[in-house]
């Protein structure tokens, strides 16, 4: 009880009311595909966490956009929430340590929490020339991944680069960049996107803490709760040419169809993600709603297979 009080007081001191927090928990519970009866339990995971799994967050070939998306989220407190439920032992962007001390932190965390920590990987791994295209502290990404990932309880590949190679792995890919799972022959839970929606990472971790297991995955390693349907299947623009009322409003099915962005290159029919329902920036909007066609950022090799962007396939 005291712990809960402290949590809500901490939120309040950051200008976040209990109501805002419960609103977020309601959205998160719906995103996870759980019924509304789970909302109080989801809130409890944050307010009174039974355990805080240690996390080692590795950065490889990437732009840090995935971390930025999480930490600069419009939910003013999402970074706080993540830090409430996770014990982040190593994260190059947010930790105070640098240089040799940072390296020592990494080795110490892996040793101390061997078999118990969650490894989050952001960025792709260079595989050609013995991994020579990407290094941290004189060691290749490949070497670091081979050492750290097998010692983790589970590995989450955050973003399309870590999951499938992303832009680093786009043709002609001189460094032989691939996703971390492919690089070292390990299975990973993938949360792709460029960047991914932070709510899908939070949902995965809360699923783990609440139900004691990782969520069910599709054949590309993605949580089904977030990547089980195509963008097109959930797109409100689709209704314009399938809904009689809109067809009447637009004058003809052809005119209503013009509201859809398919002819300007929307890859919604080929792309699995929950952007239309999870949305971005505190549920404000998402690319297709704002008028930009989906470019298929959560699909493997999308820089090669979905281009040229903005042209009908
Ligand atoms: S805008 Fe894209 S996702 Fe929406 S209906 Fe058209 S093709 Fe489908
Ligand atoms: S709408 Fe498409 S391109 Fe945009 S974030 Fe969602 S999956 Fe990625």
């Amino acid at each position: 009880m005291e712990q809960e009080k402290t949590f809500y007081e901490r939120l309040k001191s950051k200008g976040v009311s209990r109501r805002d927090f419960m609103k977020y928990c309601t959205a998160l519970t719906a995103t996870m595909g759980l019924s509304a009866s789970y909302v109080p339990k989801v809130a409890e995971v944050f307010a009174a966490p039974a355990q805080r799994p240690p996390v080692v967050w590795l950065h490889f070939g990437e732009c840090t956009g995935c971390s930025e998306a999480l930490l600069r989220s419009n939910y003013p407190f999402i970074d706080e929430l993540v830090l409430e439920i996770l014990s982040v032992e190593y994260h190059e962007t947010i930790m105070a340590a640098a240089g040799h001390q940072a390296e020592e932190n990494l080795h110490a965390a892996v040793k101390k929490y061997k078999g118990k920590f969650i490894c989050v990987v952001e960025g792709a791994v260079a595989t050609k020339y013995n991994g020579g295209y990407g290094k941290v502290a004189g060691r290749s990404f490949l070497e670091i991944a081979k050492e750290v990932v097998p010692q983790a309880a589970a590995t989450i590949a955050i973003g399309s680069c870590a999951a499938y190679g992303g832009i680093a792995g786009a043709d002609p890919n001189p460094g032989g960049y691939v996703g971390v799972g492919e690089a070292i022959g390990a299975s990973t839970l993938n949360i792709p996107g460029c960047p991914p929606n932070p709510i899908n990472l939070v949902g995965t971790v809360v699923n783990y803490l609440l139900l004691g297991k990782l969520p069910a995955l599709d054949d590309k390693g993605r949580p089904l709760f977030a990547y089980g349907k195509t963008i097109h299947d959930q797109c409100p623009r689709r209704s314009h040419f399938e809904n009689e009322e809109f067809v009447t409003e637009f004058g003809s099915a052809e005119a209503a169809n013009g509201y859809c962005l398919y002819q300007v290159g929307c890859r919604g029919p080929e792309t699995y993600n929950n952007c239309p329902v999870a949305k971005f920036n505190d549920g404000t909007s998402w690319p297709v709603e704002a008028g930009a066609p989906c470019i298929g950022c959560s699909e493997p090799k999308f820089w090669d297979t979905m281009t040229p962007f903005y042209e009908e396939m």
Side-chain angles (χ1 to χ4, degrees):
M1 196 62 197
E2 187 54 33
Q3 196 178 8
E4 272 193 46
K5 194 175 158 202
T6 311
F7 171 76
Y8 287 111
E9 274 174 0
R10 276 206 303 277
L11 279 188
K12 199 174 167 195
S13 70
K14 303 222 171 264
V16 179
S17 67
R18 197 177 179 120
R19 197 161 174 265
D20 286 339
F21 172 64
M22 291 314 289
K23 204 174 134 200
Y24 177 74
C25 289
T26 304
L28 179 62
T29 307
T31 302
M32 290 162 65
L34 299 176
S35 73
S37 64
Y38 273 91
V39 174
K41 289 180 186 156
V42 167
E44 212 173 296
V45 168
F46 294 105
Q51 44 160 324
R52 292 174 73 223
V55 169
V56 170
W57 191 302
L58 301 174
H59 288 262
F60 294 142
E62 40 84 30
C63 66
T64 313
C66 301
S67 280
E68 287 292 326
L70 183 70
L71 300 171
R72 313 267 177 251
S73 161
N74 223 33
Y75 288 108
F77 54 97
I78 191 169
D79 50 346
E80 295 285 326
L81 293 185
V82 170
L83 297 177
E84 290 286 344
I85 54 172
L86 300 175
S87 171
V88 181
E89 301 295 323
Y90 180 87
H91 187 306
E92 287 160 20
T93 313
I94 60 173
M95 67 188 189
H100 292 294
Q101 198 194 350
E103 276 302 289
E104 279 163 24
N105 284 2
L106 174 61
H107 296 302
V110 170
K111 193 173 165 197
K112 183 173 175 189
Y113 299 108
K114 186 175 176 178
K116 295 189 184 117
F117 67 93
I118 296 176
C119 180
V120 178
V121 177
E122 185 174 343
V125 177
T127 55
K128 276 192 196 164
Y129 313 109
N130 213 13
Y133 264 72
K135 292 187 173 184
V136 177
R139 292 197 305 153
S140 71
F141 299 155
L142 188 61
E143 202 180 333
I144 298 168
K146 276 182 182 168
E147 180 203 319
V148 176
V149 170
Q151 301 194 61
T155 298
I156 297 176
I158 181 97
S160 291
C161 297
Y164 311 125
I167 191 163
D171 189 51
N173 192 7
Y177 272 96
V178 293
V180 63
E182 189 181 338
I184 63 167
S187 58
T188 55
L189 184 150
N190 299 326
I191 304 184
C194 193
N197 194 321
I199 203 166
N200 293 334
L201 173 66
V202 179
T204 299
V205 173
V206 170
N207 189 106
Y208 179 67
L209 296 178
L210 190 63
L211 307 176
K213 59 180 182 183
L214 291 171
L217 307 179
D218 71 3
D219 62 353
K220 296 184 176 75
R222 304 176 290 198
L224 279 168
F225 75 75
Y227 301 90
K229 290 183 187 160
T230 64
I231 294 281
H232 181 71
D233 279 344
Q234 308 161 83
C235 181
R237 286 182 185 259
R238 179 178 161 153
S239 62
H240 282 71
F241 63 91
E242 286 184 352
N243 182 315
E244 265 181 40
E245 248 176 62
F246 281 110
V247 173
T248 311
E249 188 187 319
F250 280 78
S252 68
E254 204 182 14
N257 192 12
Y259 190 70
C260 158
L261 301 176
Y262 188 73
Q263 286 166 328
V264 287
C266 186
R267 306 290 185 249
E270 293 89 29
T271 306
Y272 288 79
N273 209 337
N274 59 355
C275 309
V277 285
K279 300 193 179 184
F280 293 85
N281 296 329
D282 204 359
T284 305
S285 188
W286 64 289
V288 169
E289 185 176 339
C294 169
I295 59 170
C297 77
S298 52
E299 292 302 310
K301 310 281 176 207
F302 81 100
W303 289 100
D304 297 332
T305 58
M306 301 289 183
T307 45
F309 296 138
Y310 313 118
E311 284 182 24
E312 192 175 343
M313 274 240 170

